Amino acid sequence: MNDTTQIEHRLKPFREINETYKPDLDKIDEAYVQKLWREQRFFDTNMASIDRKAIRVLKPGIWNHNEGPDFMHAEIEIDGKLYVGDVEIHVRSSEWYTHKHYLNSRYNRVILHAVYFDDDINLRTRLQNGKRIPTLELLKWVEADTGDLYGDTQDTETENGICRVTGKQLNMETLKGVFESLGRERFLEKVESMRLLRTRLDFEQLLYEGIMEALGYARNSKAFRELAQHVAFTDFDQKSELEIQAIFFGVAGLLPSQRETTLPSEVTNDPSIVALEASWRASEYAELPARMTEARWSFTGRPVNHPVRRIAAMSRLIHQCQGSLMMYFLSTCEKAAAADTLRSLQTIGKELRTLLMVEPTGYWKTHFSFETDNPRKEALIGNVRAADIITNKVLPAAYIWAVEAGSQTLQEAILRLYSTAPKSSGNEIIKEINKQIFTETQQMRHLKPTAKIEQGIIRLYKNYCADRLCDLCPILEHDAVLLEES
């Protein structure tokens, strides 16, 4: 079998499936959509209604738990004009009519009908007074990771505001099982959120946008996803690494020539920068109106996380993957199907992280950004960030592929890979739960945390602790708190 035949044989099972995932609306309730709206969990602030009116939310409004519209006193720009009024939320757009809001004058102050899914043929929603308002389909704009919004929305306060687990003796084995179970649920919620994006994205763009978002951390995640939406993954086909970088930096508004403050001549005259600028001017994107500017980006934080450096990392990764991000990772994920030991699964996990830990080339061997030198010559993506991307983006995307391909074996293999993924460097939620639950004699490290356990801890906090759902606490429900001797 020659090289061409081998490639065709390898890509054959990866053909895009004609029917993309359609959301199971029976699993989506109105409370979830209301929380989605309240927290504005959308990847872009500039949205469009189903009749193509520009929508920009300035204030989502005050959540109304009584009769009438769901959110009151909202401020929304519609086609550039400011409107102040109410917002009504539904899962399906047809519910405006099935609930007979068009006959109720109480809804005449509604300025926007926000729905999860548009199942109706009416482009605009009619009020009782005869006026028509735009309908916004949220599914097109929802962030990838919204799993923490699922579940009960009613707050349940403890008697004195103190966690019922704090200071108690714990059954550590039971607690570990609780966190692993919650971690599995959180993974599947991430899968479900990404599957919703499959209603409009192919696998390559889905994974590309996910990795870009993860490279942005909290400060630049939305900007990175926006950049990925301005430049489709397929636009990089057959491009050199220099061309990929030039397009990314130019569209992002981050080239030295685009910066608000003029950079020193030793930067702008560097042969690498001169070549980068020339490649941008030769790009088809340079002829289009400006998409993003320097003001869209945050430059605070560690130099290794500078957005310019992360863009260089993604450029390198796209160049290395040779036209398919999914195949770049999926072939390694498939090895887990034959792995029968913990060590072999950990080895595969390490291989996946190595695929992401791209080494710098050229200018980026010695620079963190256009302004800052890098004397350490570190990898463009480090081990910790690579592990996070594998856990939160690559494995969920691979799991979706396995579901759509009908491979139960691969689904189970990916879940095993997830179960053996290493823990992260921690975050504020994990630190908070550590203080809240564990003691000097029973510490979190005794659980031998993995990424799955950490994800379970995060799910506990977001789905229970944050909303004070103490009566439903999985730790208490599964008797992980030992009874005190009388």
Side-chain angles (χ1 to χ4, degrees), residues 87-244:
V87 175
E88 178 64 8
I89 306 293
H90 286 121
V91 176
R92 300 169 175 83
S93 58
S94 60
E95 290 172 357
W96 178 271
Y97 295 98
T98 58
H99 295 176
K100 301 189 184 302
H101 293 329
Y102 68 100
L103 299 176
N104 191 339
S105 61
R106 178 177 288 173
Y107 290 84
N108 282 344
R109 275 181 42 85
V110 173
I111 57 176
L112 181 69
H113 185 205
V115 303
Y116 192 75
F117 182 73
D118 176 35
D119 67 336
D120 207 354
I121 61 172
N122 296 287
L123 290 180
R124 305 188 76 192
T125 300
R126 181 165 60 85
L127 304 180
Q128 182 269 342
N129 60 15
K131 292 183 179 179
R132 292 187 177 270
I133 58 170
T135 298
L136 176 64
E137 185 181 33
L138 303 179
L139 176 58
K140 295 178 179 178
W141 311 96
V142 67
E143 284 183 352
D145 186 5
T146 59
D148 56 297
L149 298 183
Y150 286 94
D152 197 339
T153 60
Q154 301 300 313
D155 290 347
T156 305
E157 296 284 349
T158 59
E159 293 179 6
N160 52 13
I162 298 175
C163 174
R164 300 177 191 175
V165 179
T166 301
K168 299 291 176 40
Q169 190 72 10
L170 303 169
N171 183 323
M172 296 296 278
E173 281 302 310
T174 303
L175 182 65
K176 183 176 183 179
V178 169
F179 285 142
E180 287 182 336
S181 178
L182 289 171
R184 177 188 170 92
E185 290 174 14
R186 182 164 169 81
F187 178 82
L188 294 176
E189 284 175 352
K190 287 177 183 290
V191 167
E192 184 67 13
S193 294
M194 290 185 75
R195 287 183 74 187
L196 292 175
L197 297 180
R198 281 281 292 146
T199 59
R200 58 183 177 81
L201 301 177
D202 62 25
F203 272 104
E204 298 295 353
Q205 187 71 19
L206 179 74
L207 185 54
Y208 163 57
E209 288 187 16
I211 294 175
M212 285 283 278
E213 181 182 58
L215 286 174
Y217 283 82
R219 292 184 179 91
N220 286 303
S221 60
K222 289 188 177 181
F224 265 95
R225 183 174 280 276
E226 183 181 339
L227 177 58
Q229 288 159 353
H230 286 317
V231 188
F233 178 78
T234 52
D235 287 3
F236 295 120
D237 191 38
Q238 304 299 317
K239 294 281 196 303
S240 68
E241 187 173 352
L242 176 65
E243 291 173 318
I244 295 170

Side-chain angles (χ1 to χ4, degrees), residues 357-368:
M357 295 170 63
V358 290
E359 293 296 327
T361 58
Y363 185 82
W364 303 107
K365 283 184 177 181
T366 55
H367 292 83
F368 283 124

Side-chain angles (χ1 to χ4, degrees), residues 5 18 38 75 95 146 184 217-218 233 240 275 278 289-290 312 331 365 373 398 400 410 413 443 469:
T5 306
N18 291 332
R38 180 186 64 177
E75 296 181 15
E95 290 172 357
T146 59
R184 177 188 170 92
Y217 283 82
F233 178 78
S240 68
S331 57
K365 283 184 177 181
D373 292 340
I400 294 168
L410 185 54
Q443 298 179 19
L469 300 177

